[in-house]
Every structure is written in C-alpha cells, then in structure tokens.
Amino acid sequence: MTTLAPPGKKKLGLVIDLDTCVGCHACAVSCKEWNAGGIAGPLTDEQPYGKDPSGVWFNRVHSYEVAATPAQPATTLHFPRSCLHCDTPACVTVCPTGASYKRAEDGIVLVDEDKCIGCKLCSWACPYGAREYSAVEGVMKKCTLCVDRIYNETIPEASRQPACVQACPTKARHFGDLGDPDSAVSKLVVERGGVALMPELGYAPVNRYLPQRERRAGPPDEAAAAPEEALDTSKLNPLLRWLDRALSR
C-alpha cells in the first residue's frame, strides 16, 4: 500500500458557494473540455448519443429540493462534487502500486496512469465518489485541480486557475491556498462559515462548501391581498388601444 508524504503547509483547494451555484454545469463542461487534452486526457465517452451514454467526468453537479420550513420557503440546492484533495486520503493509502499519490508541495492528489492497474480500490475507498474509471483505458482518473494550468507561466496569470473556477458565471467557485489563514479563500470560509464534507470520517478534506443563506418568505396572502390595477385604455396611444381591442376579442 502507498504511504503518504509528510504534509506541507500549502493546501490548494476549492471553496464552493452553495448559495450562488445555479446548477448550470458550466464547471463540469469546462473541466471536461480542458482535461480532455491535459495530463489526464483523454476523457472518453461511450455511446454519447445512445440510449445509455457513459463517460469520465471529474466534476458532477447534483440538484436537490430542500423542503420548506417555518423559517424559509422551499429551495433548490445545487451541489457540485469533485475530488476534495484530502489531507489523509484513503484513495492514496489503499493503492497497491503507488499510482495514487498526494503532492507534498501543494497537497494536490493525482494519479500516475503509467502505474495504475485499474483495480478500482481507490474508488471503493473514496467516500465522496470522486474517482472515475475509464473502461476504455483501464485506469482511474480524477480531478487534478488543473495542475497543468495553474502552474503554466505561458498563459496570463489571471487564467492560472482551474477551468471550473474560471468558467463559473456566478463566481460560486473560488481557488486558493486553504493552508494559509490569510489567503482570500481562507478568509471567505471564516466569514461565511464554510464547512468540510463529512469531516467525521477523518480524511480531512481540503475543499470547503459555503452554506446557503436563509431565504425570507413573504406573507402567504401577500399576492392575493394586492389590489389589481385597472387599465385605463383611454390613455394608451392609438396602436396600443387597437392591440388591446384585438387581444380582448
């Protein structure tokens, strides 16, 4: 089995705002596009236009209905899921070949596909369902935090972030060093009460989720109590008066 390298101070990871995520899947699509040609590519698809399509996706978005409570109305929660780059990842320690490993310099968990034998032990050990098996290539794949992008000095500095972060239209995804308490992402976690996913399991995930803010429900009879405004057609211009008569027939 694989041993973990001594942990470093730097812990690169994602902070995902569940309050502003709209479930558009832009993160998943941009991730697929970038990584299909990156160090983890290709990301294969099988029968993409058939009745039972399947394929490799590093980022998946699940949507849930949150029931109404006396304090707030029912809402929809969109939950993006990908590798959490745990401090003590079970997927690494269970690997029999050393293919799964955690980098000491930045905490990113990766897969060396040249060593991977496709035994799937890592996917069984991961409680977050973050591992993807490529049946075409016979190896395991996973989120790399776009490691071939964030350190690429040939692209503009503003673009040196994971593809999912750059593509998010509502800025629900944030990237940075969660090992640095003074970083922007660490301050955001403290400010919004960010939480780790299932910390009781002991794998110490690095990524954090920002909870939904409370929604305020209006009075139940507010819409019914609002008086209906009468339309004074005599004040409309001739074109609108003709249109009103035509639509009222």
Side-chain angles (χ1 to χ4, degrees):
M1 301 300 171
T2 306
T3 56
L4 290 169
K9 293 183 178 180
K10 192 174 185 179
K11 299 179 182 180
L12 295 182
L14 299 172
V15 175
I16 300 173
D17 192 343
L18 300 180
D19 188 63
T20 55
C21 176
V22 294
C24 66
H25 294 260
C27 55
V29 174
S30 63
C31 169
K32 179 96 168 179
E33 180 183 17
W34 175 263
N35 287 288
I39 62 171
L43 304 188
T44 53
D45 287 311
E46 299 177 68
Q47 303 180 10
Y49 304 106
K51 295 178 63 176
D52 188 23
S54 63
V56 176
W57 293 80
F58 291 167
N59 195 13
R60 297 177 184 269
V61 182
H62 306 277
S63 297
Y64 305 94
E65 181 180 348
V66 181
T69 67
Q72 65 176 19
T75 61
T76 299
L77 173 70
H78 303 289
F79 186 83
R81 174 176 60 86
S82 62
C83 176
L84 302 174
H85 299 276
C86 302
D87 272 344
T88 55
C91 60
V92 170
T93 55
V94 79
C95 180
T97 66
S100 289
Y101 64 100
K102 184 174 178 68
R103 292 167 34 131
E105 62 267 33
D106 54 20
I108 299 177
V109 178
L110 296 173
V111 176
D112 184 343
E113 295 183 14
D114 291 333
K115 296 180 180 179
C116 181
I117 57 175
C119 65
K120 300 184 182 180
L121 282 176
C122 58
S123 64
W124 297 338
C126 175
Y128 306 108
R131 291 285 174 134
E132 295 276 325
Y133 177 69
S134 173
V136 174
E137 297 176 75
V139 296
M140 300 303 300
K141 295 175 179 286
K142 62 174 296 298
C143 163
T144 67
L145 276 181
C146 293
V147 68
D148 52 347
R149 180 186 182 114
I150 61 177
Y151 291 112
N152 189 346
E153 296 183 356
T154 64
I155 62 177
E157 187 173 355
S159 298
R160 295 175 203 166
Q161 54 184 337
C164 62
V165 174
Q166 192 162 33
C168 182
T170 61
K171 304 302 180 185
R173 303 176 73 91
H174 308 268
F175 170 69
D177 183 5
L178 286 154
D180 178 6
D182 294 323
S183 68
V185 286
S186 293
K187 291 179 179 179
L188 182 61
V189 169
V190 173
E191 177 187 341
R192 289 282 309 283
V195 297
L197 190 62
M198 296 189 290
E200 66 275 10
L201 298 179
Y203 300 121
V206 172
N207 288 7
R208 292 290 187 269
Y209 287 90
L210 305 181
Q212 280 188 318
R213 296 180 176 91
E214 290 186 359
R215 266 61 172 172
R216 183 174 60 85
D221 298 326
E222 183 178 12
E228 184 177 349
E229 292 187 16
L231 177 64
D232 186 357
T233 57
S234 63
K235 295 182 180 180
L236 298 176
N237 64 49
L239 177 60
L240 291 179
R241 286 202 301 272
W242 171 85
L243 184 59
D244 177 68
R245 289 196 302 272
L247 295 177
S248 300
R249 292 175 181 173

